[in-house]
Every structure is written in structure tokens, then in C-alpha cells.
Amino acid sequence: MLFTLVIVYLGITVVIGLSAARRVGSTADYLVAGRSLPLSMTVTTIFATWFGAETVLAVSSTFLKDGLRGVVGDPFGAAFCLFITALFFARPFYRMGLLTIGDFFRQRYNRTVEIAASIAITVSFLGWTSAQMLALGIVIHTVSGGVVDLRTAIIAGAAIVTLYTLFGGMWSVAITDLVQTIVIVVGLLYIAWLLASMAGGFGVVYDKAVEQGRLEFWPKLGLRDWLAFFAAWATMSIGAI
């Protein structure tokens, strides 16, 4: 039953994504949705970009193991990155009429720098993209009860995302992100309520987290701990700009 619901959900996502392709009439429409996304859709697109399958599965597992101190990079560093970008980069880049980050390097320097920067960006995002595809594959593999092996599940998930993105560009991404954000938020709230109820209530969960030191954020007094803490934060907050 659960596997069927996931298949239906993925099918609906593809239909929505392909339908959005009808909005594409130019390069600007394809790459940046014609710079005409409403605020609500922009917010959900940013949310879905930074809060995907990898975050739901990996960051939650890291918190369970290391507590708040272990997730200083994501979500804390990631959130700081978004604020830095909004305050210092978003407005100038928007006024420059850029379609990609590579365009900035071409305007500021030359074509060679644009290509080099674009390659660097692509390579640096392979790990992040792979984590998303792996997490989606794990979900499909798990809800199928092992009927779909992990390798096939990863390929299928990647193919679905590639399909609607290839045809509809940013419009497909933005509209499907809107739907996915709603599903993520509602689903996580339901799971939180369900698991807290099974554990005896949110108070019990909170007290247990405090008892086990899961809510301790700042590192210990040692220099090595502080350097590791700052490095994890800076990698996301500054490195991901």
C-alpha cells in the first residue's frame, strides 16, 4: 500500500513537472522561470533545494548520533549561508540579469574563467546531488519492501527528476518543489506527532534528549573541538555561497 502511494506521488510529480513545461518560451523561462516566480513559490523552492531527502534522512541520523553539535553545518551553517547570500549577493546578481553563476564570471573576467568556474561548481555539487539521489533511492527501496533493489531505485529516482527538469527547467522545478515542500512539512509534522505519542509525549522526548546531551550546541573548551566546530560551520555557511 505504501509503495503504491509513493509510485502515485512520483507519477503526479512527473505530470506536474511536464505540464509546467508549457510555461517555457525562452531561455530565461527555462533557467530562471522568467524571473517571475511569486514569493511563496520562491520560498518553497529554496526550502526544497536545501531541505531534501538527504537532509531528512542524513541530518536527522547525525543529530541522533551527535546531537545539535553534530549538525552545526546543516542546518545552522546552511541557514547562515542563505542570509549572507540574501544580504550581499542576491540583489546585485539580480540587477546584472544573470541566468547562471557562470555568467557572472564571464562578465567580470572572461570566457575561460566562466568555463573553469562552471566546471568547478558542477564537480563540487556531484557529492551533494549523489546524496539526494541515494536518499531517494533508499526511500523507494525501503517502501517497496526490497522488491526494487537499491541500485534500480536510485536510477529510477534520478530518471524521474531528470525527466521533468529536462523538459520544464526552473518552472518544473519550482512547481514540483511547491508540492514537495507541502508533503515534506505535513509528513514530518505527522511523523513527529506519531513518534512522540509512541514515546509518551514531547516532554518525555525532550527530557531524554537533554539527559543524553543531544541539545548541547557549543563544543568543549579544547582548541581542537572549536576548530572542528568552526570548520563544519564555515564549510556550509561560507563555502556554499
Side-chain angles (χ1 to χ4, degrees):
M1 178 62 179
L2 182 58
F3 183 49
T4 302
L5 290 176
V6 171
I7 294 300
V8 171
Y9 168 72
L10 292 175
I12 292 174
T13 300
V14 171
V15 171
I16 293 174
L18 294 179
S19 299
R22 293 179 297 180
R23 295 173 176 263
V24 177
S26 66
T27 302
D29 287 336
Y30 187 83
L31 292 177
V32 292
R35 296 188 177 85
S36 58
L37 290 179
L39 178 62
S40 58
M41 198 172 291
T42 302
V43 170
T44 55
T45 295
I46 293 175
F47 177 86
T49 299
W50 286 75
F51 200 92
E54 175 268 338
T55 306
V56 173
L57 297 182
V59 175
S60 58
S61 299
T62 302
F63 170 77
L64 186 62
K65 177 184 176 183
D66 301 322
L68 284 180
R69 192 179 298 131
V71 295
V72 61
D74 190 4
F76 294 101
F80 199 86
C81 172
L82 291 177
F83 283 112
I84 294 175
T85 304
L87 290 173
F88 299 105
F89 293 94
R91 189 182 298 274
F93 276 17
Y94 184 84
R95 288 174 174 173
M96 292 175 70
L98 305 175
L99 294 181
T100 68
I101 297 299
D103 290 345
F104 168 77
F105 290 100
R106 185 183 69 251
Q107 293 185 24
R108 181 65 178 80
Y109 301 102
N110 53 52
R111 177 72 171 172
T112 303
V113 176
E114 174 195 12
I115 294 174
S118 298
I119 293 174
I121 292 171
T122 301
V123 172
S124 67
F125 264 80
L126 283 178
W128 178 84
T129 305
S130 299
Q132 301 290 343
M133 294 300 100
L134 174 60
L136 179 57
I138 290 174
V139 171
I140 296 174
H141 169 71
T142 302
V143 299
S144 71
V147 174
V148 181
D149 66 271
L150 182 58
R151 181 184 179 88
T152 302
I154 294 173
I155 294 174
I160 291 171
V161 176
T162 302
L163 176 65
Y164 66 72
T165 303
L166 183 64
F167 282 93
M170 182 56 73
W171 271 115
S172 291
V173 171
I175 295 177
T176 54
D177 279 350
L178 174 63
V179 176
Q180 291 164 4
T181 297
I182 295 173
V183 171
I184 289 173
V185 172
V186 173
L188 288 179
L189 289 175
Y190 172 72
I191 291 173
W193 172 81
L194 181 64
L195 295 181
S197 299
M198 293 172 63
F202 283 102
V204 174
V205 175
Y206 177 81
D207 292 340
K208 193 69 174 179
V210 172
E211 178 185 334
Q212 296 179 352
R214 295 290 189 270
L215 302 185
E216 295 177 3
F217 182 72
W218 300 109
K220 299 176 182 178
L221 297 179
L223 178 61
R224 181 178 179 178
D225 294 323
W226 275 97
L227 288 175
F229 181 85
F230 178 77
W233 174 84
T235 298
M236 284 298 293
S237 63
I238 301 174
I241 290 175

